[in-house]
Amino acid sequence: MTEEECADWYRQRGTHVICHRDRYWKETVRGFYQPLHWLARLSAQQANSPTPLSWGFQTTLSEVDATAANASMPIHWLPNLENYDLHSLTSNRRNHLRKCYKRVNIVHLDKPTLLQQQGYEVFMSALKRTAYRQIPSKKDYLKGLADYSTPERRLILAGVNGEQLLGYITGYAVNSIAYIDEVVIATEALSTDIGTGLLFEFAQVCRRSGLIRELVNGLHSREDENLCVFKEGMGFQVKHIPAKVQINPIVEQFIQWRYPHKYYRLVGCQLRRRSPS
C-alpha cells in the first residue's frame, strides 16, 4: 500500500488517524500518537505533535535529520532481505525448518474461511499461553476477520496439517517496508516448529515480491529472552532507528517506573534529555 492507502485501511478498521504535514499518524492509546507507517522516517519539520490535544508522540527520523533525534526506536529488523535464504538462519533453525516442512503445510490464505472455521480456537490457545492481551469473544474475533478479506492489503500464511489449522502469520507492507503484524500458534502445535516455517516463508514472499526492501518483526522485546533468541536465529537483528519522542513529564515518570520495558520501547537508547519543542 501507499501511505495514504494505509491510512484509509486503518480508518476502516476503526483507528483514529490524523494527517499532519502530509504524513499520517495513528492514536495508539488515547492521546499518544505514532506515524501509522512506523519507519516512515519523518523530516525534522514533520516530527512534531500532530494535535495539541496529545500527551506524547514517537516517530522515526530520516537519515538527513538524524541529528535531531533524542531517542531511538528499537526494532527486530531483517538485513539483506534480497538475499535471505536457508543460509541466513543458524544451523539450529535450519534443522527446525526442515522438521516443520515434514509436518506442516504452509499455505497462502486469500479469504478468511479457514480462520472463520478454526481460527478462534487457535487464537484462544495462543493467548492462554502468552497472555499478551485479553482473550476476545468469538463474536469479536470473527468481526475482526472482516478485514482479512482484502488480500491486496494483508498477507496471511497459515500452517495446516491435513485440514487442521495449527497457526498463522499476518502482515502488510507500506511502500517498500513490510511489517509482521501477528503470529498466532496453537500451543499443541509448537512441537512442529511451525513458527520457524511461518516466519521464513513470510520473508520469502517479501523477497520474491521485488518491491519490499525491509522487513520488520516488531519492537525489541528485551524482557522475552526466548523470543529474542528465536528472532536472532531467524536472521533478525536488533536495530535502533533515530527517533524523536515527546512525553508529558508526569506520564513519562509513571511509565518509566511502572512499565520499564514499555518505556524502553518508547525511547530506546535515550540520546539526551528531551525538550518539549
Side-chain angles (χ1 to χ4, degrees):
M1 296 176 284
T2 64
E3 196 170 328
E4 184 175 3
E5 289 171 336
C6 188
D8 290 338
W9 182 48
Y10 267 91
R11 290 190 183 105
Q12 292 169 13
R13 298 162 69 190
T15 302
H16 181 212
V17 176
I18 291 177
C19 183
H20 174 66
R21 296 192 176 181
D22 299 321
R23 307 312 292 257
Y24 294 91
W25 298 69
K26 63 180 177 180
E27 189 176 26
T28 53
V29 296
R30 183 62 64 88
F32 188 83
Y33 289 83
Q34 293 174 305
L36 56 84
H37 180 15
W38 272 9
L39 298 191
R41 297 179 172 95
L42 274 58
S43 69
Q45 290 72 29
Q46 294 170 324
N48 51 54
S49 180
T51 170
L53 301 179
S54 74
W55 56 262
F57 71 88
Q58 176 200 46
T59 179
T60 55
L61 292 171
S62 66
E63 292 183 7
V64 173
D65 290 318
T67 54
N70 61 5
S72 67
M73 178 182 284
I75 62 172
H76 290 285
W77 173 78
L78 187 64
N80 199 21
L81 175 62
E82 63 271 20
N83 295 315
Y84 186 70
D85 59 17
L86 277 173
H87 299 290
S88 304
L89 314 183
T90 62
S91 60
N92 191 39
R93 289 298 157 198
R94 288 197 295 270
N95 290 334
H96 289 180
L97 185 61
R98 296 185 184 101
K99 178 181 175 182
C100 172
Y101 286 153
K102 291 179 181 179
R103 306 177 65 179
V104 180
N105 185 27
I106 297 177
V107 298
H108 171 223
L109 299 184
D110 58 1
K111 52 186 177 181
T113 306
L114 183 61
L115 298 184
Q116 290 170 340
Q117 295 171 346
Q118 302 182 40
Y120 183 70
E121 288 70 24
V122 173
F123 195 68
M124 199 164 48
S125 174
L127 288 186
K128 286 180 179 179
R129 181 182 73 253
T130 61
Y132 83 93
R133 55 169 286 192
Q134 187 176 1
I135 298 176
S137 67
K138 187 170 184 178
K139 179 180 179 181
D140 288 340
Y141 174 82
L142 293 175
K143 182 179 178 181
L145 294 182
D147 172 60
Y148 284 40
S149 60
T150 54
E152 69 277 8
R153 294 187 174 182
R154 185 194 292 268
L155 173 66
I156 312 170
L157 300 181
V160 297
N161 184 351
E163 297 183 355
Q164 181 183 4
L165 176 67
L166 304 178
Y168 58 94
I169 185 172
T170 72
Y172 61 96
V174 183
N175 297 327
S176 63
I177 301 176
Y179 300 95
I180 292 173
D181 196 12
E182 285 187 310
V183 181
V184 181
I185 300 172
T187 298
E188 59 272 20
L190 292 175
S191 61
T192 67
D193 289 305
I194 181 178
T196 300
L198 288 173
L199 186 53
F200 183 79
E201 289 300 331
F202 189 97
Q204 290 305 305
V205 173
C206 294
R207 180 186 63 81
R208 291 193 300 265
S209 73
L211 301 173
I212 307 301
R213 297 290 176 263
E214 296 182 78
L215 176 58
V216 180
N217 191 3
L219 296 170
H220 180 207
S221 302
R222 64 179 186 179
E223 71 275 25
D224 192 337
E225 183 179 357
N226 290 335
L227 180 62
C228 291
V229 169
F230 168 74
K231 291 183 178 181
E232 182 180 353
M234 294 298 296
F236 286 82
Q237 299 177 0
V238 176
K239 183 175 182 178
H240 285 261
I241 309 295
K244 184 175 180 180
V245 177
Q246 179 179 315
I247 309 175
N248 176 282
I250 297 176
V251 177
E252 178 178 12
Q253 290 178 11
F254 174 76
I255 296 174
Q256 188 174 15
W257 167 74
R258 184 67 178 84
Y259 305 104
H261 297 301
K262 291 183 179 180
Y263 182 74
Y264 162 72
R265 283 186 280 276
L266 282 175
V267 304
C269 296
Q270 190 170 334
L271 304 181
R272 60 179 180 270
R273 183 175 178 84
R274 293 187 299 282
S275 67
S277 60

